[in-house]
Amino acid sequence: MKLFYTLLLSLICITAAFSATYPANVQNVLQKAGQNRPELEKVLKHYRNDSLKFKAVCFLIGNMDIHVARTYYWADSLNNKVPFDELGYPDYETAVKSFNAMSAKTKLHPVQVKVPDVECMTAKYLIRNIDQAFKLWQKPWAQNLTFEQFCEYLLPYRIATESMQDWRLKYDSVFCNLSDRYTALSLKQAVTKFNNNLAGWFFNSGELERLPEIFSGPLNLLFRKQGACPNMVLVTAYMLRSQGIPCAIDFTPAWATSTGAHYWDVSFNEVGDELPFDGAVQGPNQFIMKREPSKVLRMTYSRQPESLAMQFPDETIPDNFLRLTNYTDVTHNYWKVFDLKARLFPKYLKRKISLVSVFNGFSWRPVFWGRNKAGYSIYQEMSCGVVYLPLVMQDHKTMPAGYPVLLQSDGSCLELRINKQKRISIRIDEKVDYLKYRQGKKYTLFYWDDQWKKMETKMIDEGKFLAFDHVPSNTLYLLVPEYSQHKERPFTVDASSGGMSWW
């Protein structure tokens, strides 16, 4: 019995000693894993004699606690879960018909769920993923990757918040024949070929997509053969990674001079040059940033120390992408940028940070943040040619924290501080791509004064312009038709010349 306890004590000591060699972030994740901790420890022990793979698994596990799958299940009117797995059908069309038949019998609705990776990761899945990724690192298109690039853009088992599925072997079986044909091509040529092939059969469902999650599971995407913008770039990234081509996803959370957002892919050639392209649409040679992005951010697997959520608590951050920690700012790769300096209202001078927003979809959408100092907030590397509005979080809502500021092409900041004493007349003519009048329709002019305030409503009887008098100067204006779809753009007026600029 004494020998038994001696051996047990030795085993405990060995285990404790090995655990003590884990990096601090890995130990932290192991504690968060709870009952699933043994699965993660199996992977660490599996690679303890392979220093590079051990370093890779520490990278994955050390950042695993920030990753979740945002998925859903279907429920009936009584909120009872209704089993339905589209992957169990021979094709997507049959799955949709079956689902529609179920829906005809009882009204179904999606129930969103969040599944943390640390609670469901298995050792078998993670080991297989790591071994397959290391094999891909030896392929010609990946050989020049640094270990850090490999960890971010080839190694990870997931990319965004999609369902966690065993995707590598399936994607390899679908695309390996193409890979054999493209082996002699440069990485840029290969990316173009792969992407053109995908564009030939993957359908852009756009506004037709009504599924509750933004990012679908990688196997679901192959099965459906369709998806909106976020899923088009996701299936592209999985395709390329499965063939040993490093790939990341870049996105602008909101266009700065238009409505909506956008996602696209970016790969890295043999000498490290970035190759942005629209996944499942067209190749790197055809990618053009046609309008001003509010910000361009790159999804990473690892947490980034400079992200807002790494430095401040969630209650000070809007409930959007800014609460994530795994993105890095790459706006300067795509647009001319300058630091934006915005004066804050006196009541917000003691705040440590503020947010910066753009007008998109008829509201001011927060897209980045800045530190406050000496009555101003500095927002780093913002796109020029854009009107921004400072915001702060108060009572779980965003509130205007300063006047709108125009960041001009030379980097100068023009504060649009409303002048109610100096009134001007505004003539608004039709403008291509911005405004076309409809006879017999009403149009309302608004001006910005900490909120949109109504100036006057007029009707188009004839002609192609509207005129408004006694309008406050030096601010933003918005002309809204009675048939608005909330895509209108704000404009400024030069008080001396009367010239208008749309933003």
Side-chain angles (χ1 to χ4, degrees):
M1 183 62 71
K2 183 177 180 181
L3 178 60
F4 171 78
Y5 282 116
T6 301
L7 292 174
L8 180 60
L9 181 60
S10 299
L11 180 60
I12 292 173
C13 292
I14 292 172
T15 302
F18 182 64
S19 298
T21 64
Y22 301 156
N25 62 337
V26 173
Q27 294 186 50
N28 181 51
V29 172
L30 290 176
Q31 291 179 355
K32 292 180 179 180
Q35 294 182 348
N36 200 47
R37 175 173 181 152
E39 288 296 307
L40 302 183
E41 289 185 319
K42 285 180 186 177
V43 186
L44 290 162
K45 293 175 182 177
H46 181 80
Y47 292 116
R48 59 189 169 190
N49 295 322
D50 187 325
S51 60
L52 195 58
K53 287 187 176 180
F54 182 76
K55 188 177 178 181
V57 73
C58 285
F59 170 83
L60 291 176
I61 293 179
N63 292 284
M64 192 176 291
D65 57 320
I66 67 173
H67 291 283
V68 299
R70 297 184 183 274
T71 183
Y72 64 95
Y73 64 84
W74 295 100
D76 59 22
S77 57
L78 298 177
N79 281 327
N80 296 314
K81 187 174 182 179
V82 177
F84 178 76
D85 180 12
E86 65 183 63
L87 298 179
Y89 293 85
D91 54 65
Y92 188 48
E93 183 179 358
T94 303
V96 171
K97 288 180 179 179
S98 176
F99 179 80
N100 289 339
M102 293 169 56
S103 299
K105 297 178 181 178
T106 179
K107 188 174 182 180
L108 302 178
H109 64 276
V111 177
Q112 298 193 45
V113 293
K114 186 169 67 173
V115 184
D117 288 8
V118 294
E119 296 179 6
C120 64
M121 178 61 69
T122 66
K124 182 178 180 181
Y125 173 84
L126 194 55
I127 289 171
R128 184 163 60 246
N129 177 86
I130 292 170
D131 288 345
Q132 291 167 348
F134 268 83
K135 289 180 181 178
L136 292 171
W137 197 5
Q138 303 307 311
K139 287 200 169 186
W141 299 312
Q143 284 181 348
N144 292 325
L145 289 178
T146 65
F147 179 73
E148 289 71 22
Q149 291 172 325
F150 165 74
C151 285
E152 292 288 3
Y153 309 127
L154 203 60
L155 172 68
Y157 57 88
R158 72 152 63 253
I159 296 176
T161 56
E162 67 279 15
S163 299
M164 191 164 62
Q165 297 172 333
D166 200 353
W167 57 275
R168 286 193 189 270
L169 291 179
K170 178 63 177 178
Y171 271 72
D172 184 55
S173 68
V174 172
F175 298 106
C176 64
N177 290 335
L178 296 177
S179 188
D180 292 340
R181 288 159 50 187
Y182 304 154
T183 299
L185 300 180
S186 69
L187 186 143
K188 184 176 182 179
Q189 292 171 328
V191 167
T192 301
K193 291 284 189 179
F194 275 114
N195 202 46
N196 288 345
N197 177 274
L198 186 62
W201 56 266
F202 194 88
F203 172 66
N204 180 1
S205 61
E207 294 301 320
L208 298 177
E209 188 164 293
R210 290 292 181 265
L211 296 173
E213 85 279 24
I214 294 179
F215 295 103
S216 300
L219 299 184
N220 297 86
L221 292 176
L222 281 186
F223 181 72
R224 295 171 188 167
K225 299 180 181 179
Q226 66 178 41
C229 173
N231 283 321
M232 293 173 71
V233 301
L234 186 63
V235 71
T236 304
Y238 273 119
M239 169 186 67
L240 295 180
R241 290 188 183 188
S242 75
Q243 301 308 306
I245 296 179
C247 187
I249 292 178
D250 287 358
F251 69 100
T252 179
W255 289 116
T257 56
S258 183
T259 299
H262 189 49
Y263 295 78
W264 61 94
D265 294 282
V266 58
S267 189
F268 311 87
N269 69 12
E270 292 84 353
V271 294
D273 295 332
E274 297 188 358
L275 305 173
F277 63 100
D278 287 308
V281 179
Q282 55 191 15
N285 286 331
Q286 298 167 295
F287 184 86
I288 299 176
M289 184 75 72
K290 295 182 180 180
R291 52 186 177 272
E292 295 83 354
S294 58
K295 268 293 180 184
V296 179
L297 306 174
R298 177 165 299 161
M299 296 182 185
T300 61
Y301 178 84
S302 64
R303 50 171 55 85
Q304 302 299 314
E306 71 275 10
S307 63
L308 178 59
M310 283 291 290
Q311 303 177 63
F312 294 91
D314 280 356
E315 57 265 23
T316 64
I317 305 174
D319 189 12
N320 66 0
F321 72 93
L322 288 172
R323 289 192 178 184
L324 301 176
T325 59
N326 57 319
Y327 63 84
T328 184
D329 182 7
V330 292
T331 313
H332 59 274
N333 291 350
Y334 293 93
W335 205 261
K336 188 178 181 180
V337 297
F338 295 98
D339 289 351
L340 173 69
K341 185 177 182 180
R343 179 166 49 181
L344 301 180
F345 293 145
K347 59 183 175 181
Y348 299 125
L349 294 182
K350 293 184 179 180
R351 299 288 185 101
K352 291 183 178 180
I353 63 168
S354 65
L355 306 168
V356 66
S357 64
V358 295
F359 192 71
N360 182 299
F362 227 64
S363 66
W364 291 101
R365 301 186 182 277
V367 295
F368 211 62
W369 66 286
R371 295 187 182 276
N372 303 336
K373 184 178 182 181
Y376 288 85
S377 199
I378 307 298
Y379 310 104
Q380 295 183 338
E381 298 195 350
M382 305 301 297
S383 298
C384 64
V386 175
V387 172
Y388 298 95
L389 181 70
L391 302 174
V392 293
M393 287 291 293
Q394 186 165 308
D395 299 326
H396 306 289
K397 297 180 181 179
T398 54
M399 304 290 291
Y403 297 104
V405 180
L406 168 60
L407 181 57
Q408 302 184 99
S409 59
D410 63 355
S412 60
C413 299
L414 177 62
E415 183 181 66
L416 299 175
R417 185 172 186 173
I418 187 170
N419 188 338
K420 297 179 183 179
Q421 281 68 47
K422 183 178 181 179
R423 300 274 171 159
I424 60 174
S425 295
I426 297 178
R427 172 178 166 138
I428 308 175
D429 295 289
E430 286 189 342
K431 183 173 177 60
V432 177
D433 297 331
Y434 285 95
L435 176 63
K436 184 173 180 61
Y437 289 120
R438 299 184 189 180
Q439 300 301 310
K441 299 297 183 181
K442 295 179 180 179
Y443 295 79
T444 302
L445 179 68
F446 294 84
Y447 64 89
W448 182 259
D449 185 15
D450 293 345
Q451 60 181 335
W452 290 112
K453 293 185 177 180
K454 181 179 177 180
M455 181 67 196
E456 189 178 357
T457 298
K458 290 191 174 184
M459 180 181 291
I460 289 287
D461 291 324
E462 58 182 28
K464 295 184 177 180
F465 73 92
L466 286 173
F468 299 88
D469 298 317
H470 307 294
V471 182
S473 62
N474 197 45
T475 187
L476 282 178
Y477 308 96
L478 192 66
L479 187 66
V480 183
E482 61 178 273
Y483 52 85
S484 172
Q485 296 182 345
H486 291 178
K487 294 182 179 181
E488 289 76 29
R489 299 303 308 164
F491 61 92
T492 53
V493 177
D494 186 305
S496 58
S497 68
M500 297 172 54
S501 299
W502 299 80
W503 306 102

